[in-house]
Amino acid sequence: MLYTHATIITVDPARRIIEDGAIYVRGNIIADLDATSILRRRYPLEREYDLSGHIVVPGLISTHTHTIQSLLRGTADNEALESWLADVIRPLQRSMTAEEASVGVQLSVVEMLKSGTTCFLESMFLEHHDFNQLCLVVQDSGIRGCLGQMAPLPTSAENAAERSIANVVHSWKNWNGAANDRIRIWFGALTPGLAADGRFKEMTAAAHSHGIPITIHCAETKLQYNSFVSLGHTPVSWAESVGLLTPSTVLVHMVHLDKSDDIPKLAASGAHIAHCPTSNAKLASGIARVPELVAAGVNVAIGADGAPCQNTCDLLQELKLAAIIQRSISNNPRLFRAETILEMGTINGARALGLADQIGSLEVEKKADFIAIDMRKPHLQPCNNPVSNVVYSATGRDVTLVVVDGQLIVDRGKVLTMDEEAIIEAAKQKSYNIIQRAGLTDQIRSIWPVHQPR
């Protein structure tokens, strides 16, 4: 298939932008990439998909999300992280059945695909929510997923830590590389402090012996930072002590870091950061020191986080906030350029997931993962700098086409691989049931009076 007449932002090593460009997809690979006139001459018999008026960018990569949490959207809007978790999110997640969790995953995947995310990292899939169902949704939907299964479980549960580590290894043997290598299995590590350090060391030993990457929440709040200090650690020294400070680890949030030691250690280790600015802002956790991290050479990527603390899976909106929030606290309008932010949402995400040789930029012989944004709208015109328009003006609602692994998954805004209407209807009912079962209806509803029809 030839995708023609687009402005193509390649994010390749030369950072080329090709006007009136075309992509030739053969199988699941980008076989050629050049001006439309050139590729039409080279491949005169190929079918064409006309993308006039569109900007094409590499598929967006979300390096942190909780897929079941789409069912919990809007349930904990005015809480700090600790009460957000203890009083609302954990009770709701505990009451959620595996069937309900699967609907949540489907809703998240539909939303991600429609808004341009082609690859995501599930951070912490809970044991009772049926990890196989998560894998099946990814397999059938066509999205690319790095799927973190929770381990170790808290030490209060008998044999739970050992069992959970073994479960991840089992899932890795069964699913890693499945769906034409669209599925990768990860350890979705428990939050620090919820299990003994020895359990984390057992997990990292198993991960390193099998070559399984790890993702973990860390240093999200000041309270968490103080907890590390009380143990004689900084967040990064703790991560190093349990074997997490490696190039195969994605550390999520990392908002509160030691000013002298943490950033140089991170840079030297090759570990990656998943920056989630909306989640950190909404939960009042703080603002990560991204300029210092980037200046030190740390690979920083972008994550949408879960629906209760971000309210959307739209990574384009997350990119915009990632840029402007740093300017607001630094009084420096040069932090960051739109080009740097788009790198965070594409090639940096691919590096974090160990997939930079396959996705994250549009290059010949890489996987055909890309999206098209319809620029023929008032809020996207004029388009003097296409990168600026993508980062600062576009939202996920402007994405009309999504190709993953060479397959057309979203066409003219419609997901071809999933029944969007049925998923939405199921999600509404399942969410209502979960909230009722957890006894949180009164706590979650609006403070304004709601009048029900008689």
Side-chain angles (χ1 to χ4, degrees), residues 279-331:
S279 170
N280 297 153
K282 188 181 177 189
L283 294 172
S285 299
I287 300 174
R289 293 157 57 194
V290 175
E292 295 170 66
L293 290 163
V294 171
V298 178
N299 182 51
V300 178
I302 301 291
D305 213 334
C309 60
Q310 213 276 11
N311 292 72
T312 174
C313 295
D314 185 347
L315 209 65
L316 285 169
Q317 294 190 51
E318 198 73 14
L319 295 182
K320 179 176 181 177
L321 184 60
I324 64 178
I325 201 168
Q326 298 296 335
R327 298 181 183 188
S328 70
I329 62 170
S330 68
N331 299 315

Short mmCIF file of all heavy atoms in Angstrom, two decimals, residues 279-331:
data_model
loop_
_atom_site.label_atom_id
_atom_site.label_comp_id
_atom_site.label_asym_id
_atom_site.label_seq_id
_atom_site.Cartn_x
_atom_site.Cartn_y
_atom_site.Cartn_z
N SER A 279 -0.94 13.55 35.29
CA SER A 279 -1.17 12.79 36.51
C SER A 279 -0.50 13.47 37.69
O SER A 279 -1.10 13.65 38.76
CB SER A 279 -0.66 11.36 36.34
OG SER A 279 -0.65 10.68 37.57
N ASN A 280 0.75 13.86 37.53
CA ASN A 280 1.48 14.50 38.63
C ASN A 280 0.85 15.82 39.03
O ASN A 280 0.81 16.17 40.21
CB ASN A 280 2.94 14.72 38.24
CG ASN A 280 3.71 13.45 37.95
OD1 ASN A 280 4.67 13.46 37.19
ND2 ASN A 280 3.29 12.33 38.54
N ALA A 281 0.33 16.56 38.05
CA ALA A 281 -0.30 17.84 38.35
C ALA A 281 -1.66 17.65 39.01
O ALA A 281 -1.98 18.30 40.00
CB ALA A 281 -0.44 18.66 37.06
N LYS A 282 -2.46 16.73 38.47
CA LYS A 282 -3.81 16.56 39.00
C LYS A 282 -3.79 16.02 40.43
O LYS A 282 -4.62 16.40 41.26
CB LYS A 282 -4.61 15.62 38.10
CG LYS A 282 -6.08 15.54 38.49
CD LYS A 282 -6.86 14.59 37.61
CE LYS A 282 -8.29 14.53 38.13
NZ LYS A 282 -9.06 13.47 37.46
N LEU A 283 -2.86 15.12 40.73
CA LEU A 283 -2.76 14.56 42.07
C LEU A 283 -1.91 15.42 43.00
O LEU A 283 -1.66 15.05 44.14
CB LEU A 283 -2.16 13.15 42.00
CG LEU A 283 -3.02 12.09 41.29
CD1 LEU A 283 -2.23 10.80 41.12
CD2 LEU A 283 -4.30 11.84 42.07
N ALA A 284 -1.47 16.59 42.48
CA ALA A 284 -0.65 17.52 43.27
C ALA A 284 0.63 16.87 43.78
O ALA A 284 1.11 17.16 44.87
CB ALA A 284 -1.45 18.10 44.42
N SER A 285 1.19 15.97 42.96
CA SER A 285 2.41 15.27 43.36
C SER A 285 3.66 16.11 43.14
O SER A 285 4.68 15.88 43.79
CB SER A 285 2.54 13.96 42.57
OG SER A 285 1.45 13.10 42.83
N GLY A 286 3.60 17.04 42.21
CA GLY A 286 4.75 17.86 41.90
C GLY A 286 5.07 17.82 40.42
O GLY A 286 4.34 17.21 39.63
N ILE A 287 6.14 18.47 40.05
CA ILE A 287 6.57 18.55 38.65
C ILE A 287 7.98 17.98 38.54
O ILE A 287 8.90 18.45 39.22
CB ILE A 287 6.53 20.00 38.14
CG1 ILE A 287 5.09 20.55 38.23
CG2 ILE A 287 7.04 20.08 36.70
CD1 ILE A 287 4.98 22.02 37.88
N ALA A 288 8.14 16.98 37.72
CA ALA A 288 9.43 16.32 37.58
C ALA A 288 10.47 17.28 37.00
O ALA A 288 10.15 18.17 36.21
CB ALA A 288 9.30 15.08 36.69
N ARG A 289 11.72 17.04 37.38
CA ARG A 289 12.83 17.91 36.96
C ARG A 289 13.33 17.46 35.58
O ARG A 289 14.50 17.09 35.39
CB ARG A 289 13.93 17.89 38.01
CG ARG A 289 13.48 18.54 39.32
CD ARG A 289 14.28 18.07 40.51
NE ARG A 289 15.72 18.30 40.36
CZ ARG A 289 16.64 17.74 41.13
NH1 ARG A 289 16.28 16.92 42.10
NH2 ARG A 289 17.91 17.99 40.93
N VAL A 290 12.44 17.53 34.62
CA VAL A 290 12.76 17.01 33.29
C VAL A 290 13.89 17.76 32.61
O VAL A 290 14.75 17.13 31.98
CB VAL A 290 11.49 16.98 32.41
CG1 VAL A 290 11.81 16.55 30.98
CG2 VAL A 290 10.45 16.04 33.02
N PRO A 291 13.96 19.09 32.68
CA PRO A 291 15.10 19.75 32.03
C PRO A 291 16.45 19.26 32.53
O PRO A 291 17.38 19.06 31.74
CB PRO A 291 14.87 21.23 32.38
CG PRO A 291 13.39 21.35 32.56
CD PRO A 291 12.99 20.06 33.21
N GLU A 292 16.55 19.05 33.84
CA GLU A 292 17.82 18.55 34.39
C GLU A 292 18.09 17.11 33.97
O GLU A 292 19.23 16.74 33.70
CB GLU A 292 17.80 18.65 35.91
CG GLU A 292 17.74 20.08 36.44
CD GLU A 292 17.47 20.11 37.93
OE1 GLU A 292 18.34 19.66 38.70
OE2 GLU A 292 16.39 20.59 38.32
N LEU A 293 17.04 16.31 33.93
CA LEU A 293 17.20 14.93 33.49
C LEU A 293 17.67 14.87 32.04
O LEU A 293 18.61 14.14 31.70
CB LEU A 293 15.87 14.18 33.64
CG LEU A 293 15.42 13.89 35.07
CD1 LEU A 293 13.93 13.54 35.11
CD2 LEU A 293 16.24 12.76 35.67
N VAL A 294 17.03 15.65 31.18
CA VAL A 294 17.40 15.66 29.76
C VAL A 294 18.82 16.19 29.58
O VAL A 294 19.62 15.64 28.81
CB VAL A 294 16.38 16.49 28.95
CG1 VAL A 294 16.87 16.69 27.52
CG2 VAL A 294 15.02 15.80 28.95
N ALA A 295 19.15 17.26 30.30
CA ALA A 295 20.50 17.83 30.19
C ALA A 295 21.57 16.84 30.61
O ALA A 295 22.69 16.84 30.07
CB ALA A 295 20.59 19.11 31.02
N ALA A 296 21.23 15.97 31.56
CA ALA A 296 22.20 14.98 32.04
C ALA A 296 22.30 13.77 31.12
O ALA A 296 23.18 12.93 31.30
CB ALA A 296 21.82 14.52 33.44
N GLY A 297 21.40 13.68 30.15
CA GLY A 297 21.44 12.55 29.21
C GLY A 297 20.51 11.42 29.55
O GLY A 297 20.61 10.33 28.96
N VAL A 298 19.58 11.62 30.48
CA VAL A 298 18.60 10.58 30.81
C VAL A 298 17.55 10.52 29.71
O VAL A 298 17.08 11.57 29.25
CB VAL A 298 17.94 10.87 32.18
CG1 VAL A 298 16.89 9.81 32.49
CG2 VAL A 298 18.99 10.93 33.27
N ASN A 299 17.19 9.33 29.30
CA ASN A 299 16.13 9.18 28.30
C ASN A 299 14.77 9.35 28.97
O ASN A 299 14.37 8.55 29.81
CB ASN A 299 16.20 7.81 27.63
CG ASN A 299 15.14 7.65 26.55
OD1 ASN A 299 15.01 8.51 25.68
ND2 ASN A 299 14.38 6.58 26.61
N VAL A 300 14.06 10.42 28.61
CA VAL A 300 12.75 10.73 29.17
C VAL A 300 11.70 10.50 28.10
O VAL A 300 11.76 11.09 27.02
CB VAL A 300 12.68 12.17 29.70
CG1 VAL A 300 11.28 12.47 30.23
CG2 VAL A 300 13.73 12.41 30.78
N ALA A 301 10.72 9.65 28.42
CA ALA A 301 9.59 9.40 27.54
C ALA A 301 8.31 9.87 28.23
O ALA A 301 8.35 10.40 29.35
CB ALA A 301 9.52 7.92 27.20
N ILE A 302 7.18 9.69 27.58
CA ILE A 302 5.91 10.23 28.07
C ILE A 302 4.94 9.09 28.35
O ILE A 302 4.84 8.13 27.57
CB ILE A 302 5.28 11.20 27.06
CG1 ILE A 302 6.23 12.36 26.77
CG2 ILE A 302 3.93 11.71 27.55
CD1 ILE A 302 6.43 13.31 27.92
N GLY A 303 4.20 9.22 29.46
CA GLY A 303 3.14 8.27 29.77
C GLY A 303 1.85 8.99 30.08
O GLY A 303 1.85 10.08 30.64
N ALA A 304 0.73 8.37 29.71
CA ALA A 304 -0.58 8.98 29.97
C ALA A 304 -1.09 8.68 31.36
O ALA A 304 -1.95 9.38 31.87
CB ALA A 304 -1.60 8.51 28.93
N ASP A 305 -0.60 7.61 32.00
CA ASP A 305 -1.09 7.13 33.29
C ASP A 305 -2.55 6.67 33.13
O ASP A 305 -3.04 6.50 32.03
CB ASP A 305 -0.91 8.17 34.38
CG ASP A 305 -0.64 7.53 35.75
OD1 ASP A 305 -1.05 6.37 35.98
OD2 ASP A 305 0.00 8.17 36.59
N GLY A 306 -3.23 6.45 34.26
CA GLY A 306 -4.57 5.88 34.22
C GLY A 306 -5.66 6.93 34.15
O GLY A 306 -5.45 8.11 34.49
N ALA A 307 -6.85 6.50 33.75
CA ALA A 307 -7.96 7.43 33.56
C ALA A 307 -8.40 8.16 34.82
O ALA A 307 -8.87 9.29 34.73
CB ALA A 307 -9.15 6.69 32.94
N PRO A 308 -8.29 7.61 36.04
CA PRO A 308 -8.71 8.37 37.22
C PRO A 308 -7.80 9.53 37.57
O PRO A 308 -8.19 10.41 38.33
CB PRO A 308 -8.70 7.32 38.34
CG PRO A 308 -8.69 6.01 37.68
CD PRO A 308 -7.97 6.21 36.39
N CYS A 309 -6.57 9.55 37.06
CA CYS A 309 -5.67 10.65 37.39
C CYS A 309 -5.24 11.44 36.17
O CYS A 309 -4.51 12.41 36.28
CB CYS A 309 -4.43 10.14 38.13
SG CYS A 309 -3.46 8.96 37.21
N GLN A 310 -5.72 11.05 35.01
CA GLN A 310 -5.41 11.77 33.78
C GLN A 310 -6.69 12.08 33.01
O GLN A 310 -6.76 13.06 32.29
CB GLN A 310 -4.45 10.94 32.91
CG GLN A 310 -3.47 11.75 32.09
CD GLN A 310 -4.03 12.23 30.77
OE1 GLN A 310 -5.22 12.16 30.51
NE2 GLN A 310 -3.16 12.74 29.92
N ASN A 311 -7.68 11.20 33.16
CA ASN A 311 -9.01 11.33 32.58
C ASN A 311 -9.08 11.09 31.08
O ASN A 311 -10.17 11.08 30.51
CB ASN A 311 -9.64 12.68 32.93
CG ASN A 311 -9.97 12.80 34.41
OD1 ASN A 311 -9.06 12.94 35.23
ND2 ASN A 311 -11.23 12.73 34.76
N THR A 312 -7.94 10.86 30.44
CA THR A 312 -7.93 10.54 29.03
C THR A 312 -6.66 9.79 28.70
O THR A 312 -5.65 9.92 29.39
CB THR A 312 -8.03 11.81 28.17
OG1 THR A 312 -7.87 11.48 26.79
CG2 THR A 312 -6.94 12.81 28.53
N CYS A 313 -6.69 9.01 27.63
CA CYS A 313 -5.49 8.34 27.14
C CYS A 313 -4.84 9.12 26.00
O CYS A 313 -3.96 8.60 25.31
CB CYS A 313 -5.85 6.93 26.63
SG CYS A 313 -6.44 5.79 27.89
N ASP A 314 -5.28 10.35 25.79
CA ASP A 314 -4.84 11.16 24.65
C ASP A 314 -3.40 11.64 24.87
O ASP A 314 -3.15 12.60 25.60
CB ASP A 314 -5.79 12.34 24.47
CG ASP A 314 -5.49 13.17 23.24
OD1 ASP A 314 -4.42 13.00 22.64
OD2 ASP A 314 -6.35 14.00 22.87
N LEU A 315 -2.45 11.00 24.21
CA LEU A 315 -1.05 11.33 24.42
C LEU A 315 -0.67 12.66 23.78
O LEU A 315 0.29 13.31 24.21
CB LEU A 315 -0.15 10.21 23.90
CG LEU A 315 1.19 10.07 24.63
CD1 LEU A 315 0.97 9.65 26.07
CD2 LEU A 315 2.09 9.07 23.93
N LEU A 316 -1.40 13.09 22.76
CA LEU A 316 -1.12 14.41 22.19
C LEU A 316 -1.35 15.52 23.21
O LEU A 316 -0.57 16.48 23.29
CB LEU A 316 -1.97 14.63 20.94
CG LEU A 316 -1.52 13.87 19.69
CD1 LEU A 316 -2.58 13.94 18.60
CD2 LEU A 316 -0.18 14.41 19.17
N GLN A 317 -2.40 15.40 24.00
CA GLN A 317 -2.62 16.39 25.05
C GLN A 317 -1.52 16.32 26.10
O GLN A 317 -1.10 17.34 26.66
CB GLN A 317 -3.99 16.16 25.70
CG GLN A 317 -5.15 16.44 24.76
CD GLN A 317 -6.48 16.45 25.48
OE1 GLN A 317 -6.64 17.12 26.49
NE2 GLN A 317 -7.45 15.70 24.96
N GLU A 318 -1.04 15.12 26.37
CA GLU A 318 0.04 14.95 27.34
C GLU A 318 1.33 15.60 26.85
O GLU A 318 2.08 16.19 27.63
CB GLU A 318 0.27 13.46 27.61
CG GLU A 318 1.03 13.16 28.86
CD GLU A 318 0.21 13.40 30.11
OE1 GLU A 318 -1.03 13.54 30.02
OE2 GLU A 318 0.80 13.46 31.20
N LEU A 319 1.59 15.51 25.54
CA LEU A 319 2.79 16.14 24.99
C LEU A 319 2.75 17.65 25.19
O LEU A 319 3.76 18.27 25.56
CB LEU A 319 2.91 15.82 23.49
CG LEU A 319 3.13 14.36 23.09
CD1 LEU A 319 3.27 14.25 21.58
CD2 LEU A 319 4.34 13.77 23.77
N LYS A 320 1.59 18.25 24.96
CA LYS A 320 1.49 19.70 25.12
C LYS A 320 1.78 20.11 26.56
O LYS A 320 2.56 21.05 26.80
CB LYS A 320 0.10 20.17 24.70
CG LYS A 320 -0.10 21.67 24.86
CD LYS A 320 -1.45 22.11 24.36
CE LYS A 320 -1.63 23.62 24.50
NZ LYS A 320 -2.93 24.08 23.95
N LEU A 321 1.18 19.42 27.52
CA LEU A 321 1.42 19.79 28.91
C LEU A 321 2.88 19.56 29.29
O LEU A 321 3.46 20.34 30.06
CB LEU A 321 0.51 19.01 29.84
CG LEU A 321 0.62 19.40 31.33
CD1 LEU A 321 0.26 20.88 31.52
CD2 LEU A 321 -0.26 18.52 32.19
N ALA A 322 3.48 18.49 28.77
CA ALA A 322 4.89 18.23 29.07
C ALA A 322 5.77 19.40 28.66
O ALA A 322 6.77 19.70 29.32
CB ALA A 322 5.36 16.95 28.36
N ALA A 323 5.40 20.08 27.60
CA ALA A 323 6.18 21.23 27.14
C ALA A 323 5.91 22.45 28.00
O ALA A 323 6.84 23.09 28.51
CB ALA A 323 5.85 21.53 25.68
N ILE A 324 4.64 22.79 28.18
CA ILE A 324 4.34 24.10 28.77
C ILE A 324 4.49 24.12 30.28
O ILE A 324 4.74 25.18 30.86
CB ILE A 324 2.94 24.58 28.35
CG1 ILE A 324 1.84 23.66 28.88
CG2 ILE A 324 2.86 24.72 26.84
CD1 ILE A 324 0.44 24.12 28.52
N ILE A 325 4.36 22.97 30.95
CA ILE A 325 4.44 22.98 32.41
C ILE A 325 5.85 23.34 32.87
O ILE A 325 6.03 23.99 33.91
CB ILE A 325 3.98 21.63 33.00
CG1 ILE A 325 3.57 21.79 34.45
CG2 ILE A 325 5.05 20.54 32.85
CD1 ILE A 325 2.84 20.59 35.02
N GLN A 326 6.87 22.95 32.10
CA GLN A 326 8.23 23.29 32.48
C GLN A 326 8.49 24.79 32.31
O GLN A 326 9.21 25.40 33.10
CB GLN A 326 9.22 22.49 31.63
CG GLN A 326 9.12 20.98 31.84
CD GLN A 326 9.47 20.54 33.25
OE1 GLN A 326 10.21 21.23 33.97
NE2 GLN A 326 8.94 19.40 33.67
N ARG A 327 7.88 25.39 31.30
CA ARG A 327 8.05 26.83 31.10
C ARG A 327 7.41 27.62 32.23
O ARG A 327 7.92 28.66 32.66
CB ARG A 327 7.44 27.23 29.76
CG ARG A 327 8.09 26.56 28.58
CD ARG A 327 7.46 27.00 27.29
NE ARG A 327 8.05 26.30 26.15
CZ ARG A 327 7.80 26.61 24.88
NH1 ARG A 327 6.95 27.58 24.61
NH2 ARG A 327 8.37 25.93 23.92
N SER A 328 6.27 27.10 32.73
CA SER A 328 5.54 27.85 33.75
C SER A 328 6.31 27.95 35.06
O SER A 328 6.13 28.92 35.80
CB SER A 328 4.18 27.20 33.99
OG SER A 328 4.31 25.95 34.65
N ILE A 329 7.15 26.97 35.35
CA ILE A 329 7.88 27.01 36.63
C ILE A 329 9.31 27.51 36.47
O ILE A 329 9.96 27.84 37.46
CB ILE A 329 7.90 25.63 37.32
CG1 ILE A 329 8.61 24.58 36.45
CG2 ILE A 329 6.49 25.18 37.66
CD1 ILE A 329 8.87 23.27 37.17
N SER A 330 9.78 27.57 35.23
CA SER A 330 11.17 27.99 35.00
C SER A 330 11.27 29.43 34.53
O SER A 330 12.36 30.01 34.54
CB SER A 330 11.84 27.09 33.96
OG SER A 330 11.24 27.30 32.68
N ASN A 331 10.13 29.99 34.07
CA ASN A 331 10.14 31.31 33.43
C ASN A 331 11.06 31.35 32.23
O ASN A 331 11.60 32.40 31.87
CB ASN A 331 10.53 32.41 34.43
CG ASN A 331 9.56 32.51 35.59
OD1 ASN A 331 8.34 32.48 35.38
ND2 ASN A 331 10.07 32.61 36.80
#
